[in-house]
Amino acid sequence: MIRPAVELAAAARPTSPLTVLVPTCNEAENVAPLLHGLQAALGGLPEARVLFVDDSTDGTDALIRKLAPGLGIEVDVLHRERPSGGLGGAVVAGLASARTPWCVVMDADLQHPPELAPALVAEGERSGAQLVVGSRYRAGHRAGGFTGPVRSLISRLCTRLVRMAFPRTLAGISDPMSGLFAVRRDLWESAELQPEGYKILLELAVRTRPSSVAEVPYSFQPRHSGESKAGYAEGMRFLRHLTRLRMSGTRGRMIAFTLIGASGMVPNLIVTWALVRAGVHYLLAAILANQAAMLWNFVLIDSVLFHHRRSGRGRRRLARFAVLANADLVGRIPLLSLLVREARLGPVWATGATLLAASAARFVITDRALYRPAE
Ligand code: GDD
Ligand code: MN
């Protein structure tokens, strides 16, 4: 008889100690069935334990503490009085306090089958992978747990988007949005994680670039009780997270910096046009328009691209940025005349070349001096 892949996977037993890490936010109605599921799954594994990282206000933590003693498995609760980073922040806090060589991250609402926790670790041991992802998109399962076609569609679109953004890193991960995965200690300790909301697996995969990843298929179950906490705000957070991850390398930052700089053309031309129409001399208009473009660039660069490296007062950052943006003019003019007279470039090509060179120089100064990374 051919057994389905899920059943096969669930039968595997690991030998390494492991922690099942469960982030909880108001899951009082789910923790009892979850704990019973985990009791069955982990029973007989002497070095398996459960760690809840709880941000609830409904007494979920107290309930877990009440239920835990009768179960015969070790259960800890880390309750965060001042939660930060949402679901991802909770997972990172749990990883930091876990003591075992493996952690399995799993939702509390029984959308992830508890019996898969040991199976994921067993698969990691068998394959040598540092990261084992529970995948809803592999053959041998149904992803029936989405509440309605809209959520299912959104999830699929996000998966597409994410895979397009990181084609190489995510080549071996069919479900990069999964909330169910096992991770080996050397991997999670190798990166400084900056979680932001739900997509902690994505954060982990992109920041650590694991050399090998395994997958275990499973069927996504309907939520046992209560509602998903993901909504519009979480969606926006996801887009911000994705942008930030994409820009985390120097090359990505430089491309974004150049694009932002180029987008400054728009306010520049609008202001020039308006001023000239109002009768201002075109040279004065050009200088003023340059300041408008500079402000536009500053807002985008300061609030998006280098948001995480900001220090000191906003006014001071703006002043330094303005000096750099205008110094640019001073530096470009001699370079321009050199290119036209010595290299015999046409003035338009020469201007284009000086703009690119100035943008690269501004990027290096901005990246290394104005928004210096923390040591
Ligand atoms: N500690 C903590 N803090 N836990 C949280 C927080 C938080 O701010 N927000 C959510 N959780 C917990 C929930 O209590 C639950 O155990 C788990 O994280 C997942 O939350 P849900 O609200 O049920 O998420 P979902 O079902 O919409 O999304 C899940 O599936 C997605 C795939 O479709 C998550 O696993 C996502 O990471 C995953 O991408
Ligand atoms: Mn859920």
Side-chain angles (χ1 to χ4, degrees):
M1 189 184 99
I2 301 171
R3 285 194 293 163
V6 177
E7 229 179 277
L8 265 182
R13 308 295 282 170
T15 54
S16 307
L18 66 101
T19 303
V20 179
L21 184 56
V22 188
T24 46
C25 188
N26 301 337
E27 302 284 1
E29 285 162 22
N30 291 321
V31 289
L34 174 72
L35 279 169
H36 288 121
L38 285 171
Q39 179 185 32
L42 303 177
L45 293 174
E47 291 184 280
R49 56 190 57 225
V50 184
L51 171 60
F52 287 90
V53 183
D54 179 64
D55 295 339
S56 303
T57 49
D58 71 344
T60 297
D61 52 328
L63 182 61
I64 298 168
R65 288 200 183 90
K66 198 177 107 199
L67 295 170
L71 296 171
I73 50 174
E74 198 163 326
V75 178
D76 287 310
V77 188
L78 179 70
H79 179 72
R80 304 198 300 170
E81 281 302 334
R82 287 210 192 86
S84 66
L87 168 52
V91 171
V92 170
L95 291 174
S97 77
R99 293 283 154 261
T100 48
W102 281 92
C103 268
V104 178
V105 177
M106 174 175 276
D107 291 352
D109 55 8
L110 294 149
Q111 292 198 277
H112 300 150
E115 64 273 19
L116 232 55
L120 289 173
V121 175
E123 179 58 19
E125 290 175 334
R126 191 194 64 75
S127 63
Q130 297 170 295
L131 182 62
V132 185
V133 178
S135 170
R136 296 164 289 176
Y137 300 126
R138 274 290 173 98
H141 81 292
R142 298 167 298 119
F146 289 109
T147 41
V150 177
R151 251 174 202 274
S152 174
L153 181 69
I154 292 178
S155 177
R156 277 175 187 272
L157 284 178
C158 289
T159 305
R160 271 280 169 82
L161 182 68
V162 159
R163 292 175 60 78
M164 253 159 51
F166 301 100
R168 261 170 305 157
T169 312
L170 300 180
I173 306 182
S174 65
D175 191 359
M177 319 289 272
S178 178
L180 172 66
F181 57 92
V183 53
R184 208 166 76 187
R185 172 173 288 278
D186 54 345
L187 190 70
W188 85 70
E189 283 185 341
S190 71
E192 207 168 301
L193 300 171
Q194 297 165 23
E196 170 142 13
Y198 269 50
K199 304 308 167 194
I200 180 64
L201 171 62
L202 181 66
E203 166 80 21
L204 204 81
V206 171
R207 294 216 196 265
T208 61
R209 317 240 163 192
S211 48
S212 63
V213 180
E215 288 200 329
V216 172
Y218 78 97
S219 35
F220 195 47
Q221 300 299 318
R223 208 172 211 282
H224 179 73
S225 171
E227 277 184 9
S228 162
K229 277 107 204 153
Y232 175 76
E234 203 55 58
M236 293 320 285
R237 206 176 190 185
F238 161 64
L239 290 180
R240 213 165 45 225
H241 187 198
L242 191 61
T243 315
R244 202 165 287 172
L245 276 178
R246 192 51 278 188
M247 297 311 158
S248 63
T250 308
R251 202 177 53 151
R253 263 200 317 284
M254 182 154 174
I255 292 172
F257 185 89
T258 311
L259 288 177
I260 290 174
S263 75
M265 284 280 286
V266 176
N268 200 326
L269 292 179
I270 291 176
V271 172
T272 308
W273 173 80
L275 289 176
V276 168
R277 238 181 91 112
V280 177
H281 188 274
Y282 74 94
L283 278 181
L284 180 61
I287 294 171
L288 293 174
N290 216 36
Q291 308 311 308
M294 184 271 295
L295 267 179
W296 163 279
N297 287 349
F298 175 74
V299 168
L300 289 177
I301 282 168
D302 191 75
S303 62
V304 181
L305 195 56
F306 286 102
H307 182 270
H308 59 297
R309 287 204 207 155
R310 291 200 313 203
S311 64
R313 285 161 160 251
R315 219 178 303 155
R316 199 178 132 78
R317 290 197 304 274
L318 173 60
R320 294 195 303 177
F321 193 83
V323 169
L324 189 62
N326 287 302
D328 171 296
L329 267 179
V330 180
R332 260 178 45 217
I333 286 167
L335 182 62
L336 190 60
S337 90
L338 198 77
L339 287 176
V340 172
R341 280 190 293 145
E342 304 298 323
R344 304 239 162 259
L345 272 184
V348 175
W349 288 107
T351 304
T354 62
L355 283 173
L356 276 182
S359 168
R362 272 205 319 275
F363 173 72
V364 172
I365 298 172
T366 308
D367 193 55
R368 294 290 111 190
L370 298 196
Y371 294 87
R372 199 174 322 139
E375 294 310 331

